[in-house]
Amino acid sequence: MSATTTTDERLLRTSPLRRLLGRPELGSVVGALAVFVFFAFAADSFLRASSLSTVLYASSTIGIMAVPVALLMIGGEFDLSAGVLVTSSALISSMFSYQMTANVWVGVGVSLLATLAIGAFNGFMLARTGLPSFIITLGTFLMLTGMNLGFTKLISETVSTKTIADMEGFPAARDVFASTLTIGGVDFKVTILWWFALVAVASWILLRTRAGNWIFAVGGNKDAARAVGVPVTATKIGLYMGVAFGAWIAGQHLLFSYDVVQSGEGVGNELIYIIAAVIGGCLITGGYGSAVGSAVGAFIFGMTSKGIVFAEWNPDWFKFFLGAMLLLATLLNAWVRKRAEATK
């Protein structure tokens, strides 16, 4: 018998540096620190508690959707209907409650079912047709855009819904989806809690459950994943329903913050969600990324959008900074990933 012993590579210890370099969100964290320091010097009011609360709120309205969008991208797909789906969710809840003169919670429940059904439709069509998710969700985007405007004008005779602020259940629903919490004399929107909760749940799913392994597998190579027994179709339908659930939360916040909804809102926001996920370390090709990274990407977005205001710069430059951050973050993430692979 040979005296040479073979060590299982799964039992080898990984150095802290190697583990750090292997994290998808490392590049976005470095970018977030750079943006934070930059605006801390560029805007005198940026470090005030009230300003940071405003930044967190702006980040949360993006982050609530960026989290499920990131999971979908890790699974190898896109959803171009995510932005208008937020508006659809709010419109369904508002118009159903108003027309049926029911407790607003009935409208909220109907909106949840309808929104999840739209997400399931996207996943089902993707599986049955074999078409790229770009085409499937672009079609859904166009249909929802037309339906949002058409049904709102048909029912309300205007491009916005009727107010439901005086209906039964509205105060309680507003407390859940659009309330303000005061901590240490600083006001924080409840959407920040929704955002943190989604990040925690999504991270647990990705890192601690079998479903998380399925998501990475179908994003990396769906044919190989199917060959080893991964339920590819069910996983992708579930991911699209996850995006729909995020859209439902964001839509209810929109509704109960203003009690009326403009039917044309949400167009273009889907790109912002994707940008936040990419800045956070998600690969366009799928199979790589994290929920925490998407949260950091949303935080960078919030700091930039509000930091420009606090610095009293011309807001017309915002899109320029957003595009520059996207390119820089993508390059940084690619460099970090190569370094991680080189240290293995």
Side-chain angles (χ1 to χ4, degrees):
M1 180 181 294
S2 173
T4 304
T5 59
T6 302
T7 302
D8 190 334
E9 64 178 4
R10 292 174 297 180
L11 302 179
L12 293 176
R13 291 186 178 182
T14 304
S15 68
L17 177 60
R18 183 178 298 180
R19 289 198 300 269
L20 179 63
L21 289 175
R23 294 302 306 166
E25 63 272 8
L26 175 60
S28 62
V29 170
V30 173
L33 290 173
V35 172
F36 183 87
V37 171
F38 176 78
F39 281 113
F41 285 99
D44 295 335
S45 61
F46 185 76
L47 293 180
R48 295 176 184 171
S50 58
S51 299
L52 293 177
S53 171
T54 302
V55 168
L56 283 174
Y57 173 58
S59 303
S60 69
T61 57
I62 301 300
I64 285 173
M65 286 300 294
V67 170
V69 166
L71 264 63
L72 180 64
M73 291 181 65
I74 294 171
E77 306 296 346
F78 291 96
D79 191 348
L80 297 181
S81 66
V84 293
L85 187 55
V86 172
T87 306
S88 298
S89 169
L91 290 172
I92 293 170
S93 183
S94 177
M95 289 191 290
F96 188 89
S97 298
Y98 186 86
Q99 293 300 315
M100 301 301 293
T101 61
N103 187 299
V104 297
W105 284 106
V106 177
V108 170
V110 171
S111 175
L112 174 60
L113 295 177
T115 307
L116 289 176
I118 294 171
F121 170 81
N122 280 336
F124 176 78
M125 290 298 294
L126 179 75
R128 289 301 299 268
T129 65
L131 292 172
S133 56
F134 177 89
I135 299 298
I136 297 293
T137 58
L138 178 60
T140 307
F141 162 81
L142 294 173
M143 288 189 292
L144 289 178
T145 303
M147 290 174 63
N148 288 349
L149 178 60
F151 275 113
T152 304
K153 293 185 71 173
L154 178 65
I155 295 173
S156 302
E157 298 182 349
T158 64
V159 295
S160 64
T161 60
K162 304 292 185 182
T163 179
I164 60 170
D166 57 346
M167 296 189 66
E168 184 179 356
F170 184 89
R174 182 175 53 196
D175 288 342
V176 173
F177 295 107
S179 61
T180 300
L181 308 175
T182 302
I183 302 175
V186 181
D187 293 336
F188 294 91
K189 291 290 187 179
V190 73
T191 49
I192 299 172
L193 296 181
W194 279 104
W195 178 34
F196 289 169
L198 286 175
V199 172
V201 171
S203 297
W204 174 76
I205 291 174
L206 281 177
L207 303 177
R208 300 296 181 185
T209 70
R210 181 181 298 178
N213 293 332
W214 293 346
I215 293 170
F216 282 110
V218 299
N221 188 323
K222 66 178 181 180
D223 294 328
R226 183 178 286 111
V228 296
V230 173
V232 174
T233 298
T235 299
K236 296 206 173 189
I237 290 176
L239 289 172
Y240 275 105
M241 292 181 71
V243 173
F245 181 72
W248 174 73
I249 295 174
Q252 302 317 295
H253 171 68
L254 176 66
L255 172 61
F256 292 106
S257 292
Y258 305 103
D259 83 70
V260 296
V261 183
Q262 298 290 327
S263 59
E265 292 187 21
V267 176
N269 285 351
E270 61 281 343
L271 297 179
I272 295 176
Y273 307 146
I274 293 173
I275 289 171
V278 172
I279 290 176
C282 291
L283 291 182
I284 298 294
T285 53
Y288 189 80
S290 71
V292 173
S294 72
V296 178
F299 185 54
I300 290 175
F301 179 92
M303 285 193 293
T304 304
S305 62
K306 298 305 176 183
I308 289 175
V309 176
F310 295 143
E312 299 181 352
W313 296 343
N314 188 336
D316 293 341
W317 288 94
F318 170 66
K319 291 292 179 68
F320 170 82
F321 284 108
L322 191 62
M325 282 192 302
L326 174 62
L327 291 176
L328 290 175
T330 303
L331 292 173
L332 181 59
N333 289 335
W335 178 82
V336 168
R337 193 176 185 217
K338 288 180 180 178
R339 293 286 298 176
E341 293 174 347
T343 59
K344 292 182 179 180

